Amino acid sequence: MTKIQLTLLTLFFFTFTFGQVSDCNCINELNDISEQIKNAKSYKVQIKGNKIIEFEKWKTEIETEIKNDSLINFFCVGYLQKYISFINDLHNQVYATQKHELIQAPNYPKSIDTNQIQNDSISGIYFAGVDKILIKRETNNTWLGITLESNSSKWEKGKIRLVIKKTKNNIFEIFEYFQNGYLFYQKDVKIENGRIHSTFWNKQNKYFFNQNHINNFTYKTINSSFDYFGIKTLNRTNSLIEEMDKFFNQNLGNLTKPNLIIDLRNNGGGSTKQAEKLLESLKNNENIIHIYIIINFKTASAAELVTLKLKEDKRTIIVGENSKGMIEYGYGNKSYSSTSSCSEFKIDLSTEQTNKKLSIYECIGIKPDYSLNNESDWIEQIININPKE
């Protein structure tokens, strides 16, 4: 290779590399995601005919929002998530790579005054465990959640934790930073009774809807009429298969009371095979009159499928709040996984449709037969339910 050829090759490489870096903006990431989303099973099922045109129009709307957002460098991944939310499939996910944790959270540029809270139904001080924020109205249709307190030194006072927007259809959407620094978008958000659904944020600093299971599997007697099973996960690793089999072998025979509570709060799923022994045993247990299944906004995927399977038993009563609605599609043996063009964002897409009849639950969740409020312990509320025999 001559010196001139080497110089030209070096110049080409530099120009190409620089061009790649300079082109790494949110619009280009959106263009890349719009191509990759076509690999999702749910895209192939849902985006046909007129939906193709609607999806293109939706992309144009997202492009406009990206261009008009002064904080886009901090919230780009949220807009990519919003773009793919056009497809009803929560197994399709885009999220920031590890290197962007917390760096992306912007600072609120003005002074923070908690003594002058706007008089609207949303503004106020909210809590999520150890974290505390002020939700402040910035425009007619935008509210910012500004960090006041956190046990994480990375969430300093003044960092913007979330953005709430009212859409043109008068529906709320939220861009929320989790404490670990990952940003997630939610559409069709309800804000009522001092709580932002489906999140932990609430004005009362109460968490009766939550359950931090200490163990993967829990059995206990609540009183002379109620037994309790807590199932934290349905993940099917070798160790969890062995642990659950041992748990069921030891405790299924103890279910002699007329009421059984199965707590699936915060159960993100796994495999329905993990629950097969439970389902079979309950069919043959004539002692039980009522089976109460507790679900919340973090009950998802296989845990939702198990809930519906249990619902086939006429003794079953679903209680709590709507589940996550991550149920119609799945990853099968493996998800479609990739990164965006600039390697800024990780992409996981569904590879199978579980059952098209489950579309009524996707992104909506399973609605409980009895809704439980956030004013008292959910187990106590269940005990006080008087279902018709």
Side-chain angles (χ1 to χ4, degrees), residues 87-305:
I87 301 169
N88 290 324
D89 178 4
L90 290 183
H91 277 92
N92 293 334
Q93 298 181 10
V94 180
Y95 45 93
T97 53
Q98 194 76 13
K99 66 180 180 179
H100 287 296
E101 285 191 15
L102 297 168
I103 298 172
Q104 293 288 8
N107 291 306
Y108 186 65
K110 305 173 188 177
S111 61
I112 304 170
D113 186 357
T114 56
N115 294 316
Q116 302 260 339
I117 296 175
Q118 294 103 319
N119 186 23
D120 62 73
S121 61
I122 298 174
S123 298
I125 294 175
Y126 287 73
F127 303 85
V130 296
D131 292 346
K132 179 180 177 182
I133 62 174
L134 169 67
I135 292 186
K136 184 177 183 295
R137 191 171 199 163
E138 285 296 294
T139 68
N140 285 338
N141 297 315
T142 305
W143 290 257
L144 298 180
I146 307 159
T147 300
L148 297 177
E149 296 177 11
S150 176
N151 68 346
S152 171
S153 59
K154 295 179 181 180
W155 281 110
E156 300 170 347
K157 183 177 181 180
K159 278 194 173 293
I160 296 176
R161 190 68 181 269
L162 58 85
V163 178
I164 299 171
K165 295 183 179 183
K166 184 187 287 186
T167 68
K168 61 185 178 182
N169 298 319
N170 288 322
I171 297 172
F172 294 106
E173 61 183 9
I174 183 171
F175 298 81
E176 178 189 4
Y177 276 103
F178 289 2
Q179 194 185 57
N180 62 11
Y182 286 104
L183 177 70
F184 286 95
Y185 168 83
Q186 281 193 71
K187 63 180 180 180
D188 300 335
V189 172
K190 290 183 180 179
I191 304 174
E192 57 187 10
N193 299 322
R195 183 178 165 205
I196 304 172
H197 300 264
S198 298
T199 77
F200 288 99
W201 297 108
N202 72 96
K203 291 181 177 180
Q204 293 79 21
N205 201 13
K206 296 178 180 178
Y207 307 95
F208 297 115
F209 55 83
N210 186 38
Q211 175 60 43
N212 291 319
H213 298 278
I214 298 174
N215 301 311
N216 290 322
F217 313 107
T218 303
Y219 164 74
K220 62 182 178 181
T221 295
I222 295 175
N223 58 33
S224 59
S225 298
F226 280 83
D227 283 316
Y228 172 95
F229 269 0
I231 302 177
K232 181 179 182 178
T233 180
L234 291 171
N235 284 339
R236 196 167 169 80
T237 62
N238 289 335
S239 61
L240 283 171
I241 291 172
E242 183 179 341
E243 185 180 352
M244 181 170 264
D245 282 344
K246 182 179 178 180
F247 171 78
F248 285 147
N249 289 337
Q250 291 178 343
N251 297 300
L252 285 174
N254 295 327
L255 303 181
T256 59
K257 298 176 180 59
N259 299 288
L260 171 64
I261 295 173
I262 301 176
D263 196 342
L264 296 180
R265 281 177 288 181
N266 293 13
N267 189 317
S271 171
T272 56
K273 285 183 177 295
Q274 282 288 73
E276 286 179 351
K277 186 173 287 188
L278 171 65
L279 294 169
E280 187 61 32
S281 176
L282 292 180
K283 284 181 184 178
N284 300 316
N285 191 323
E286 297 180 356
N287 297 307
I288 301 173
I289 298 173
H290 299 119
I291 303 170
Y292 296 91
I293 313 300
I294 312 180
I295 58 174
N296 71 350
F297 74 100
K298 296 191 75 175
T299 305
S301 196
E304 292 177 288
L305 291 172

Side-chain angles (χ1 to χ4, degrees), residues 30 34 43 47 49-66 82-84 86 168-169:
L30 176 64
S34 71
Y43 176 92
I47 308 303
N50 290 335
K51 280 291 183 180
I52 297 174
I53 300 172
E54 291 177 26
F55 198 24
E56 281 299 316
K57 182 180 178 182
W58 176 247
K59 182 188 174 188
T60 302
E61 292 180 19
I62 299 299
E63 286 178 348
T64 301
E65 291 185 21
I66 287 172
K82 180 175 180 177
Y83 167 68
I84 67 172
F86 181 92
K168 61 185 178 182
N169 298 319

